[in-house]
Amino acid sequence: MNELVAGGNVPLPDGAVTLRVPGPFDLSVIVTGDSGKVSGDGDFVFYNQPATAGARLQGDTVTIDGRRLRAGASRVTVAVSPAEPGTPLGRLPGIALQVHGPGGGLVARFTPPRPDRETVLLLAEIYRRGPGWKLRALGQGYADGLAGVARDFGVDVAEDEAPQPPTGPARIPAPSRPAAPAGRLAPSGPPAPDGFLPLVNAARASAGAPPVSLDARLTAAAGAHAAGMAARSTLSSEHADGTSLYQRVVAGGYAYLAIGEHLVSGPRSPADFVEYCLSGEQSGLTVRSRAYTHVGVGHAADARSGDLYWTALWATPFSTQGLAEWAAAVLRLTNAERTAARLRPLSPDPLLTAAAQAHSADMVARAFYSHTSPDGGEPWHRASAAGSTHRAIGENIACGQRTPAEVVDGWMNSPGHRANILKPTFTHLGVGFAGGGPAGTYWTQLFGG
């Protein structure tokens, strides 16, 4: 087994190899020839287009068989991006690539230097060398998401209205979740959002979900965010000044427990926008989710291109009862994992809960993500300040996950966090949650024993 550094390479065994990146990430694959450019739509594999000849994406794993690639293909580049759109990779767990051969044996590992504000990383490339194939570790970051990667590989992420000839650069929608095709629209005034809410609630009714109502605070935040994206001609959850969409929502007076969003460019009308949102599996789940009670929507036109940029915000307001229910759900799911491991369940602890909640709120208020607070406070300091007398203290934190199930699953898929959850000497747990900040949601588990 080879531990690679950026630029390092290793020969690959004959047959299909699998590349896996565990964690809250999406993988994408770009197939190219010697020119370094794609030849058509099928050369770009991502979550909405998970397979092409010789490459198949499934969850956190991509399988590549050089023998089955299209004619003329000589290189396959693998990129990793955050599963939650717009989240800088530097706020997520470390990226670790595992490469396995046809028999399942580990061929190589690559842990790139930790990114900062980049939202996509070219992780590795598989390339033809003589009769065989080799793998090279990369680690090249992009700050403008998969759309920037696509352009560098010859993908035009803006569709023209006129029919295109079958040759030349591939033209596919920008694959940054959950973006829509950034179509070249004839310059015109933005359409009114009339009809948006009836279409949304009809879709929810068909799924058995209760209707949502328009919220003026969410609508104001959505409109301002859409205008900011149009001014910069880019889809992003961050504003030009670096503040996030979620910080704008909270600053506008809407404290939330649950939140979801659609950031889309291209649709010409509310009906087209809703149709697009319903067309994807994940984006459709957001529209139909029972977790949301309010919605806000806004759109703005790019003055240069005429493209329309849309933002929809879905949310449920914060309440003490809702917070208690989410904390109870995290405890229940954590104890299910301990029970499966034949460990005693943890008991809720109000003092640990107060400390955990204060830390989540502090991470939102001061826009940091760390076990160590800006003034140097550590988990045991926070527990002691809250009045806890536990001798053993442990802490898990997470950001960006939208539900208790999602955050516990993420912790269980991270060795260090899993070790805390399954530590036999821990007996009590406090759970904290706060919405806002750069990542949107901040979770804390504070263990005591």
Side-chain angles (χ1 to χ4, degrees), residues 21 68 84 150 167 255 306 315 357 416:
V21 179
R68 299 182 181 277
E84 291 294 332
T167 60
Q357 182 60 34

Side-chain angles (χ1 to χ4, degrees), residues 33 163 227 256 373:
Y256 59 81
S373 61

